[in-house]
Amino acid sequence: MKRRTFIKLLAAGSVTACARPDHATIRGLTMGTSYTVELAAPIDDAMRTRLTQLIEVELAAINRAMSTYDPRSELSGFNRRQDLSWVPASQGLLEVLDSASRISTSTQGAFDVTVGPLVDLWGFGPEYRTRRVPDDEVIQRVRESVDYQHVQIDPSAGAIRKRDSRAQVDLCAIAKGYGVDRVAMILDRQGVRDYLVEIGGELRARGTTAAGRPWRVGIERPVERGHVVGEIVALENRAIATSGTTEDFFEQDGRHYSHIIDPKTGRPVEHPPIAVSVIADTTMEADAWATALVVLGPERGYALAQARGLPVLIVTASGSTFDVRVTDAFRTHLVG
């Protein structure tokens, strides 16, 4: 399922400028959404073909390892296991699970990759089901299997295991970011020095645009209809990701139910419409932290981000008005 994104690439190097002779654009589809690679310098056909092939192979490998939509993926196989024994895991899966575990610990479980069964229960998972509010008893029963500590990682042994046979892992809130980082790695290895990579609205930049300026991205407001760009940030050798409660949702009896589930309650987060943007060294970190801070909400999320020195912007909506809060670390990235 393709979810609405909150970040737009602006000014020099925009995604609409692919015909300009001073730079190049590579596009494709992955992870149920699209990817775009903006290069600040032109490339010949041979280089374009080479980069495209390398990117496609890498993204396909990530899907084979981490997709919950593909029953043949490595992660789907792990989820089907009922035993608690150690099983070998690919390097990519180990890296993502290890990063997820550290962010889960830092947020006291607000970020939790085992939330998948609850996501499925509310109708936001890979299998189609009618979206409606489940019974309280069912929510409680499913919630008992959700705990990030139910999955153990041993990077030195290259293995993972379940501590609870019911545990199911869903990497939708971190895998896109990892994909961006891997594409950036390919570009680095091929000698590309100025680029911006985007997958489903998660971005990572290096160097400058063709005009020699930092890459600029606009952050949209959390509105359910239309596109309203708010803050603009300059992205210099960093990554940015945004998560929000208006990306994917349903309404029942006049109430809004977001696809972002609070692992502690087993229910969609109940804050006003909210979007959180995080700047980090890697897109994987930015991706996961954005989701975690949405779960924590505008007050607890802001307090944690400020305390940890994270560059974070939090926007909450009340009707047509917005409350915008930025941490001290984020302020230096704002344009204007």
Side-chain angles (χ1 to χ4, degrees):
M1 179 180 296
K2 183 178 180 179
R3 293 171 177 160
R4 192 172 72 80
T5 62
F6 286 91
I7 299 179
K8 300 295 181 184
L9 177 57
L10 301 177
S14 75
V15 293
T16 61
C18 60
R20 287 174 46 180
D22 58 352
H23 82 290
T25 303
I26 298 172
R27 292 192 180 92
L29 299 175
T30 188
M31 302 182 191
T33 185
S34 61
Y35 73 83
T36 302
V37 177
E38 292 282 350
L39 308 178
I43 54 175
D44 59 28
D45 290 343
M47 185 62 165
R48 176 184 293 276
T49 298
R50 178 172 176 78
L51 288 177
T52 301
Q53 290 176 341
L54 290 171
I55 290 167
E56 293 283 347
V57 167
E58 184 66 30
L59 293 175
I62 294 171
N63 262 320
R64 287 195 301 272
M66 304 178 199
S67 174
T68 55
Y69 288 77
D70 181 359
R72 299 166 299 176
S73 74
E74 180 183 0
L75 184 59
S76 293
F78 177 73
N79 283 339
R80 286 193 295 270
R81 296 183 69 92
Q82 296 297 306
D83 62 273
L84 306 182
S85 59
W86 289 97
V87 295
S90 63
Q91 184 61 36
L93 185 57
L94 284 166
E95 289 178 18
V96 172
L97 286 173
D98 186 53
S99 179
S101 178
R102 285 185 277 107
I103 294 172
S104 295
T105 300
S106 298
T107 60
Q108 296 183 322
F111 184 76
D112 191 332
V113 296
T114 68
V115 78
L118 288 168
V119 174
D120 294 341
L121 179 65
W122 284 86
F124 296 108
E127 294 185 7
Y128 174 80
R129 66 172 65 191
T130 302
R131 293 180 174 180
R132 59 174 178 265
V133 178
D135 294 335
D136 289 345
E137 295 82 2
V138 177
I139 294 173
Q140 179 57 31
R141 183 171 68 250
V142 174
R143 194 179 71 82
E144 291 172 356
S145 69
V146 174
D147 188 330
Y148 71 94
Q149 297 182 83
H150 287 167
V151 177
Q152 189 174 3
I153 310 106
D154 186 344
S156 61
I160 59 178
R161 69 164 181 149
K162 295 181 180 182
R163 287 174 164 167
D164 185 319
S165 62
R166 300 170 297 174
Q168 301 285 297
V169 175
D170 184 341
L171 299 176
C172 288
I174 192 171
K176 280 193 304 179
Y178 178 74
V180 172
D181 294 334
R182 295 296 294 181
V183 173
M185 180 204 69
I186 288 171
L187 298 175
D188 291 341
R189 289 180 175 177
Q190 295 300 308
V192 180
R193 293 293 174 259
D194 301 287
Y195 59 76
L196 187 139
V197 179
E198 176 264 342
I199 297 179
E202 325 291 29
L203 300 102
R204 180 166 174 168
R206 175 170 177 171
T208 62
T209 67
R213 302 189 186 98
W215 298 95
R216 291 186 176 188
V217 297
I219 301 173
E220 290 189 351
R221 300 301 198 196
V223 294
E224 294 173 7
R225 295 173 180 83
H227 302 278
V228 181
V229 174
E231 287 66 34
I232 298 173
V233 301
L235 205 59
E236 299 183 67
N237 301 322
R238 302 295 297 278
I240 186 170
T242 296
S243 184
T245 57
T246 58
E247 292 177 82
D248 192 14
F249 62 92
F250 71 90
E251 294 180 347
Q252 182 176 319
D253 300 327
R255 293 192 61 182
H256 176 110
Y257 296 94
S258 166
H259 75 285
I260 298 182
I261 308 297
D262 184 340
K264 295 290 193 295
T265 66
R267 298 173 178 275
V269 296
E270 296 183 351
H271 325 305
I274 182 175
V276 176
S277 299
V278 179
I279 295 173
D281 290 333
T282 70
T283 327
M284 177 170 62
E285 293 174 296
D287 199 2
W289 271 105
T291 297
L293 296 175
V294 168
V295 171
L296 289 172
E299 299 302 326
R300 289 193 299 155
Y302 179 83
L304 178 60
Q306 185 77 324
R308 294 183 63 91
L310 299 176
V312 170
L313 177 145
I314 299 176
V315 182
T316 52
S318 178
S320 59
T321 62
F322 301 95
D323 177 62
V324 180
R325 303 183 75 183
V326 298
T327 62
D328 295 339
F330 192 94
R331 201 176 305 278
T332 60
H333 298 275
L334 290 171
V335 175

